[in-house]
Amino acid sequence: MSKPNTLIFVDLASDDPSAAGRFYAEVFGWENDARPEGIYHRMVPGGHFTNPDGAPSLIGNLHLGIFDAANARPHPEPAGVAPRGLSQDGRKARIWVLVSDDDTPERILGAAIERGAVELWRNHYWAEFNGYNHAFRDPWGNEILLWGKAGPNPAVPDHFTRE
């Protein structure tokens, strides 16, 4: 292998992809691209990754898929296969979202909670990766972590937990 394989997409399970698509559109401002409605929703953040000089690159931001847990598409079997329910217990994949410079984790957490999410934590600093983080569980059990870059020589607020 001369080039690494590329991660292109991450999917979250939902028992109501239409509602989940609306949730992420309202909480993060992403485009809700139903393909088709209620079966699979592609969440499109828009924009592009930035170059070191801050200008947009040619690489578009990653997309997030939301699939119907009862019939995960694509699959060779038209009716899908088991399991058909959501995984609510135990550890699972988590999604990390970089909070944009014109938004705040407080607004995002508030919007998510208003729409049925559960706050897991807020105001934590992770020194290993030099960033602030906050998290919630969406109404379908998916864990979403919000990330904020702390920058050089961060002044971590006293009320933040640290590790």
Side-chain angles (χ1 to χ4, degrees), residues 4 21 27 48 52 61 65 67 70-71 75 85-86 103 111:
V27 170
H48 291 79
N61 285 323
F67 69 93
N71 187 356
H75 193 279
L86 297 174
D103 205 349

Side-chain angles (χ1 to χ4, degrees), residues 28-31 42-51 54-63 100:
F28 290 112
W30 297 340
E31 177 188 344
R42 180 177 69 158
M43 304 310 298
V44 184
H48 291 79
F49 285 100
T50 55
N51 289 318
S57 74
L58 298 176
I59 303 167
N61 285 323
L62 298 176
H63 296 176
S100 70

Side-chain angles (χ1 to χ4, degrees), residues 5-90:
N5 297 298
T6 303
L7 174 66
I8 59 168
F9 225 74
V10 174
D11 283 347
L12 298 179
S14 173
D15 57 4
D16 188 345
S18 296
R22 284 190 306 276
F23 176 90
Y24 284 99
E26 293 169 359
V27 170
F28 290 112
W30 297 340
E31 177 188 344
N32 180 7
D33 182 20
R35 310 221 15 201
E37 176 69 37
I39 304 298
Y40 189 90
H41 288 243
R42 180 177 69 158
M43 304 310 298
V44 184
H48 291 79
F49 285 100
T50 55
N51 289 318
D53 67 0
S57 74
L58 298 176
I59 303 167
N61 285 323
L62 298 176
H63 296 176
L64 175 72
I66 300 172
F67 69 93
D68 184 355
N71 187 356
R73 310 306 312 150
H75 193 279
E77 294 293 328
V81 295
R84 297 185 184 276
L86 297 174
S87 174
Q88 296 288 343
D89 295 326

Side-chain angles (χ1 to χ4, degrees), residues 47-149:
H48 291 79
F49 285 100
T50 55
N51 289 318
D53 67 0
S57 74
L58 298 176
I59 303 167
N61 285 323
L62 298 176
H63 296 176
L64 175 72
I66 300 172
F67 69 93
D68 184 355
N71 187 356
R73 310 306 312 150
H75 193 279
E77 294 293 328
V81 295
R84 297 185 184 276
L86 297 174
S87 174
Q88 296 288 343
D89 295 326
R91 293 285 182 203
K92 57 187 138 209
R94 302 183 300 175
I95 304 300
W96 293 73
V97 176
L98 179 63
V99 177
S100 70
D101 292 339
D102 65 347
D103 205 349
T104 67
E106 293 79 17
R107 189 214 56 84
I108 295 169
L109 284 169
I113 292 165
E114 286 174 10
R115 291 162 177 83
V118 174
E119 180 180 314
L120 299 175
W121 73 82
R122 65 172 67 211
N123 302 334
H124 181 70
Y125 173 70
W126 194 7
E128 184 67 28
F129 290 95
N130 191 30
Y132 306 116
N133 57 92
H134 323 264
F136 65 87
R137 182 177 300 114
D138 75 11
W140 302 275
N142 301 299
E143 292 185 11
I144 311 301
L145 286 79
L146 307 175
W147 185 259
K149 297 176 185 176

